[in-house]
Amino acid sequence: MVQNSFISVILQEEKEETKGSVEFQVFSFTNKIRRLTSHLELHKKDFLSQRGLKRILGKRQRLLAYLSKKNRVRYKKLISQLNIREPKTR
């Protein structure tokens, strides 16, 4: 498993903020998602981990939807820092 690919950029900035903030929760969910994805590449038939991954993806999606409704600037900053969304090209 590759653990160096996890994000540690926001961790230094979040020391003074609470760990219950939306940004920190999305950050921790993103780390869990990346860890589970690398695990599932090795163990394709681990269905319980697949279920857990889907739950975490749903939670992160709901948090991002909430943040985009409440504060669009913080949402865009978080998306660019974590690099989790592809820009729409039409």
Side-chain angles (χ1 to χ4, degrees), residues 2-89:
V2 179
Q3 293 191 1
N4 293 336
S5 64
F6 302 138
I7 303 167
S8 64
V9 174
I10 297 178
L11 199 55
Q12 289 112 18
E13 296 175 4
E14 291 290 328
K15 287 183 180 176
E16 65 272 357
E17 290 188 26
T18 62
K19 292 189 179 189
S21 68
V22 176
E23 288 90 354
F24 187 82
Q25 289 179 29
V26 171
F27 163 72
S28 83
F29 285 147
T30 303
N31 279 340
K32 287 180 185 178
I33 288 168
R34 292 191 175 152
R35 191 175 29 202
L36 277 173
T37 303
S38 66
H39 169 77
L40 287 172
E41 287 175 357
L42 295 174
H43 309 283
K44 296 186 187 313
K45 293 190 177 185
D46 189 357
F47 298 113
L48 289 177
S49 293
Q50 287 179 10
R51 182 175 182 259
L53 177 63
K54 288 178 186 177
R55 285 183 68 190
I56 294 171
L57 283 170
K59 286 182 182 180
R60 185 179 76 173
Q61 184 179 9
R62 287 192 299 272
L63 281 172
L64 287 172
Y66 167 78
L67 188 61
S68 70
K69 288 178 189 174
K70 291 294 181 180
N71 194 339
R72 196 72 175 170
V73 175
R74 284 171 53 194
Y75 171 78
K76 292 214 180 259
K77 181 181 173 188
L78 182 65
I79 293 301
S80 65
Q81 282 180 343
L82 295 179
N83 195 19
I84 55 177
R85 302 272 174 151
E86 296 292 325
K88 293 183 180 178
T89 56

